[in-house]
Amino acid sequence: MNVLSQLKEQIAATLPNLDLVIGWERGFDPLHHTPLFMRRPEDVERLVIDALCVHNLAVYLPGLKNKKVGVAVKGCDSRAVNQLAREGLIKRENVVVFGFPCDGAADLTKVRRQLGDISGVQSAALEGDLLRVVVDGKERETPLKDVLADKCLRCRYPNALTHDHFAGEPREARVQTDDYKDVVDFEALPLEARFAHWQQEMQRCIRCYACRNACPMCVCRDHCVAQSRDPHWVTQEDETREKWMFQIIHAMHLAGRCVECGECQRACPVDIPILALKRKLNKEIRELFDFEAGVDPQAVPPLLSFQVEEKNINERGW
Amino acid sequence: MSGVNELRIVGFLCNWCSYGGADAAGVGRLAQPTDLRIIRMPCSGRINPLFVARTLLSGADGVLVSGCHPRDCHYAEGNFYARRRLEVFKRLLPTLGIDPGRFEYTWVSASEGQRWQTVVTTFTEQIHRLGPMPRFSPGEACVAVLAESGG
């Protein structure tokens, strides 16, 4: 029995005890899947799981806090469930987690880069290690590994870290450790080049806040400081500086909380590489406090605690 | 710092120790550079690292945060939390393309007028070595976009 039918069976069996189960279904075109909210048994039939299930569905959980909700999660998404539960933003006992072995999710920006314009896509098929699409009657293909999201290429947790049901067999992780090479490489650039990089990238920002809305850990929703006038953290001026300020706020509000699901960067309509900021913070949090968000459901978030003598902070040197 | 243009340095000081320390330095007539503007805070634990980010982006060339020494916090543990937050923020700066030397945090008690003088002088010298903070230039950015689109 394949993973999908096993997952469907598990969901169908649990659905009567739940208000809804969240999964993925085919969206407006064959390359875009969309979240699926299953309430009736017949909804379960529309469920799909493959490399195009890009969304982190844990983002819906805080808004459904008092409902009995099931959710299908990839490995990275499960870290968000753990972290939300640890912070008391969801009740873990109200959530039923359906895990499955994840082979990686496609990055549609990379697909576009490999295959050109995909707006008129007629069909898409994943055959083994190949992604085959038909655009305007012409068939094009690319190896799946060339279009996987960067986060998947360095994935250490392909299987849900927390789950109540698991379909299929757990798979091996692609890598065992994350050396944060991207962060180190970026910091090897001269300071001026790094500053210029962000000026270049951030001026594209249209302030749609898709990065915030897609983030499972951004739970303030209507009370986000980006749109508040009191306090007035960012102005309405159309300046790169203000867009940049918002990204710094977003990154700092996620310090020690970010689970690196990469939703901010995926949701960005103008492809600003904002995950780099969160990666940097996660690298530092790991070095300073030996902490990774959402991995150990019992671990105390580092910025909510302290030690009188900090092992790794040497502030007296200044 | 005679002969050098002043730069803008903002200091966030906790009310109970560092503000007192700065006051002690003033009462003791200890000579200090005049680039620093002080903002008095209830506690270093009140200082959101984003205050520093906003200050740097809004026109400051350097930001100094100072509170009570660890174990000496008026509110017992405010500076312990501050230490973690500020350290994390300071380590983010290199990735932002901002020299981490533009932001320092330290501890000065109310009786340490001399130490305050040293801190201010050292930090001001450090900021003068770094020069004015680079800014995003809206004009240039527009030109770059136009050039790219061939318009």
Side-chain angles (χ1 to χ4, degrees):
Chain A
M1 187 162 47
N2 71 18
V3 175
L4 179 60
S5 44
Q6 199 181 340
L7 187 63
K8 279 182 181 169
E9 239 168 56
Q10 289 170 347
I11 293 177
T14 326
L15 192 56
N17 311 323
L18 299 171
D19 291 314
L20 75 161
V21 177
I22 315 173
W24 301 269
E25 67 174 326
R26 197 193 130 136
F28 64 91
D29 81 12
L31 278 173
H32 291 81
H33 288 353
T34 194
L36 165 68
F37 298 85
M38 294 168 267
R39 290 189 172 80
R40 295 160 304 172
E42 57 267 32
D43 296 338
V44 181
E45 278 315 301
R46 287 170 18 224
L47 180 74
V48 290
I49 45 166
D50 57 32
L52 297 169
C53 296
V54 290
H55 313 80
N56 181 352
L57 302 174
V59 71
Y60 297 108
L61 296 179
L64 299 165
K65 192 178 177 186
N66 295 315
K67 290 219 155 83
K68 287 267 184 200
V69 184
V71 64
V73 294
K74 307 188 286 291
C76 42
D77 309 344
S78 72
R79 286 178 64 185
V81 176
N82 264 344
Q83 186 64 19
L84 286 168
R86 185 68 190 85
E87 294 181 16
L89 295 165
I90 58 171
K91 295 192 191 110
R92 182 64 182 84
E93 64 272 19
N94 278 355
V95 179
V96 177
V97 179
F98 297 92
F100 59 89
C102 170
D103 298 323
D107 177 342
L108 288 181
T109 305
K110 285 190 179 177
V111 174
R112 218 170 290 126
R113 228 174 272 153
Q114 292 285 330
L115 302 176
D117 184 15
I118 46 168
S119 51
V121 62
Q122 287 149 338
S123 78
L126 293 153
E127 290 160 19
D129 294 334
L130 279 181
L131 172 66
R132 199 164 280 155
V133 299
V134 177
V135 187
D136 300 329
K138 279 179 235 123
E139 194 175 277
R140 303 179 200 167
E141 62 177 41
T142 174
L144 187 57
K145 68 172 174 19
D146 290 351
V147 294
L148 281 185
D150 288 340
K151 65 162 182 177
C152 303
L153 299 175
R154 54 174 178 251
C155 176
R156 285 166 298 152
Y157 307 109
N159 311 301
L161 290 169
T162 177
H163 56 81
D164 303 292
H165 301 278
F166 197 88
E169 293 299 316
R171 57 156 290 172
E172 282 283 308
R174 273 198 182 76
V175 293
Q176 296 307 317
T177 52
D178 188 347
D179 53 7
Y180 286 98
K181 189 172 179 307
D182 48 335
V183 177
V184 177
D185 287 350
F186 183 67
E187 292 203 337
L189 297 172
L191 193 69
E192 296 73 25
R194 280 175 262 152
F195 192 77
H197 166 82
W198 289 115
Q199 162 142 352
Q200 190 63 31
E201 298 289 343
M202 286 313 300
Q203 70 189 14
R204 285 205 301 280
C205 172
I206 54 172
R207 289 175 91 164
C208 64
Y209 299 123
C211 46
R212 175 196 68 187
N213 296 346
C215 177
M217 305 313 298
C218 264
V219 290
C220 303
R221 301 292 153 190
D222 292 347
H223 304 280
C224 177
V225 293
Q227 277 140 336
S228 136
R229 294 210 174 169
D230 184 19
H232 203 175
W233 275 99
V234 286
T235 73
Q236 273 91 347
E237 287 166 285
D238 173 32
E239 275 194 34
T240 312
R241 183 184 74 181
E242 298 303 313
K243 305 167 180 178
W244 187 211
M245 184 66 210
F246 175 70
Q247 286 309 328
I248 299 176
I249 294 177
H250 190 187
M252 282 307 291
H253 282 179
L254 286 169
R257 307 174 64 229
C258 172
V259 295
E260 274 185 49
C261 63
E263 281 293 270
C264 46
Q265 188 160 322
R266 177 193 66 77
C268 181
V270 289
D271 290 328
I272 301 174
I274 37 180
L275 187 60
L277 294 179
K278 287 104 186 175
R279 292 266 299 157
K280 165 67 176 170
L281 281 172
N282 278 353
K283 172 175 182 281
E284 299 303 334
I285 296 274
R286 195 177 69 177
E287 279 169 22
L288 282 170
F289 311 118
D290 192 24
F291 176 86
E292 265 188 295
V295 174
D296 175 2
Q298 304 307 323
V300 181
L303 294 185
L304 297 182
S305 61
F306 63 83
Q307 276 172 344
V308 174
E309 295 291 339
E310 294 286 357
K311 211 164 53 202
N312 299 321
I313 303 180
N314 174 23
E315 85 279 12
R316 296 211 174 79
W318 195 71
Chain B
M1 295 277 156
S2 58
V4 184
N5 284 342
E6 269 198 11
L7 292 175
R8 265 175 292 194
I9 303 176
V10 175
F12 292 98
L13 270 55
C14 97
N15 176 41
W16 304 99
C17 296
S18 297
Y19 197 86
D23 197 32
V27 169
R29 301 193 164 223
L30 304 176
Q32 298 167 46
T34 50
D35 305 43
L36 183 80
R37 283 93 163 144
I38 292 173
I39 299 174
R40 178 156 67 154
M41 307 298 279
C43 174
S44 52
R46 171 66 182 91
I47 298 166
N48 184 337
L50 291 167
F51 290 172
V52 182
R54 187 71 262 188
T55 312
L56 284 173
L57 258 57
S58 298
D61 302 302
V63 177
L64 177 67
V65 167
S66 185
C68 304
H69 286 277
R71 297 175 197 269
D72 267 351
C73 178
H74 182 80
Y75 304 102
E77 51 190 37
N79 54 4
F80 290 133
Y81 289 105
R83 181 167 59 184
R84 286 198 160 191
R85 289 178 202 145
L86 296 170
E87 179 68 21
V88 166
F89 178 74
K90 187 170 163 64
R91 288 175 176 228
L92 175 65
L93 291 177
T95 290
L96 300 179
I98 298 173
D99 194 302
R102 292 194 184 277
F103 162 59
E104 296 286 356
Y105 67 99
T106 188
W107 321 116
V108 173
S109 84
S111 57
E112 293 177 320
Q114 291 260 260
R115 176 168 156 76
W116 176 252
Q117 184 192 27
T118 319
V119 165
V120 177
T121 315
T122 320
F123 187 65
T124 309
E125 278 167 8
Q126 184 172 320
I127 297 302
H128 275 266
R129 268 198 305 282
L130 293 170
M133 165 98 177
R135 302 279 162 215
F136 287 148
S137 41
E140 278 174 34
C142 290
V143 172
V145 171
L146 285 175
E148 223 167 75
S149 61

